[in-house]
């Protein structure tokens, strides 16, 4: 997925999730992703979600995985927790706070 495709998919999920996760409007969170050498971060701030290329200086957590795993998580084909438990995704930093990102994805997919 290109950065623009990722931005569109994450934004779509975030907008769908806001009704079920209204507290996300008050978050100020940064999640770093490393996908097969490509680095970007998801910024949730001011009631909006954005994706920025590169490395954030102090992300809450860093999530590393393949493009395929990320695509399957964002499509709902693979649960993020299962990917983590199966070691298809690694998380460093505040692992517990990544549950908030999972909430957004699940709510956006209609699972919450």
């Amino acid at each position: 997925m290109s950065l623009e495709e990722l931005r569109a998919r994450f934004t779509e999920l975030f907008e769908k999730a806001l009704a079920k996760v209204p507290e996300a409007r008050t978050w100020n969170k940064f999640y770093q992703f490393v996908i097969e050498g490509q680095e970007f971060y998801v910024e949730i701030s001011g009631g909006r979600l954005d994706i920025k290329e590169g490395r954030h200086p102090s992300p809450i957590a860093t999530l590393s995985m393949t493009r395929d795993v990320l695509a399957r998580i964002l499509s709902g084909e693979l649960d993020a927790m299962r990917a983590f438990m199966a070691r298809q995704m690694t998380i460093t930093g505040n692992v517990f706070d990544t549950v908030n990102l999972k909430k957004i994805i699940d709510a956006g997919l209609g699972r919450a």
Side-chain angles (χ1 to χ4, degrees), residues 3-4 6 11 25 29 43 51 56 66 71 75 90 105:
L3 201 58
E4 286 306 314
L6 286 168
T11 300
R25 294 179 194 278
K29 300 180 182 285
E43 174 183 348
I51 298 214
H56 189 274
T66 65
S75 72
T90 60
I105 294 169

Side-chain angles (χ1 to χ4, degrees), residues 30-32 39-41 43 53-60:
F30 303 89
Y31 299 97
Q32 182 72 49
E39 294 188 42
F40 65 90
Y41 59 93
E43 174 183 348
E53 192 169 11
R55 182 164 283 281
H56 189 274
S58 56
I60 291 170

Side-chain angles (χ1 to χ4, degrees), residues 6-112:
L6 286 168
R7 183 176 287 118
R9 183 63 180 147
F10 269 107
T11 300
E12 175 188 2
L13 292 171
F14 183 75
E15 289 173 358
K16 288 179 179 178
L18 282 176
K20 295 177 182 172
V21 190
E23 65 270 21
R25 294 179 194 278
T26 65
W27 291 352
N28 188 30
K29 300 180 182 285
F30 303 89
Y31 299 97
Q32 182 72 49
F33 282 77
V34 178
I35 310 298
E36 296 177 4
Q38 178 185 19
E39 294 188 42
F40 65 90
Y41 59 93
V42 173
E43 174 183 348
I44 301 173
S45 179
R48 299 187 63 228
L49 179 142
D50 195 12
I51 298 214
K52 298 188 179 175
E53 192 169 11
R55 182 164 283 281
H56 189 274
S58 56
I60 291 170
T62 299
L63 298 88
S64 301
M65 67 199 85
T66 65
R67 280 182 170 72
D68 178 62
V69 168
L70 179 59
R72 291 173 50 216
I73 289 170
L74 295 178
S75 72
E77 183 183 331
L78 176 63
D79 179 75
M81 182 64 74
R82 287 181 192 254
F84 177 71
M85 298 303 285
R87 297 185 181 181
Q88 294 174 313
M89 169 176 51
T90 60
I91 302 172
T92 57
N94 188 338
V95 175
F96 296 109
D97 196 278
T98 60
V99 170
N100 288 313
L101 186 58
K102 183 180 181 325
K103 270 191 215 177
I104 294 294
I105 294 169
D106 286 349
L109 291 168
R111 292 184 181 162

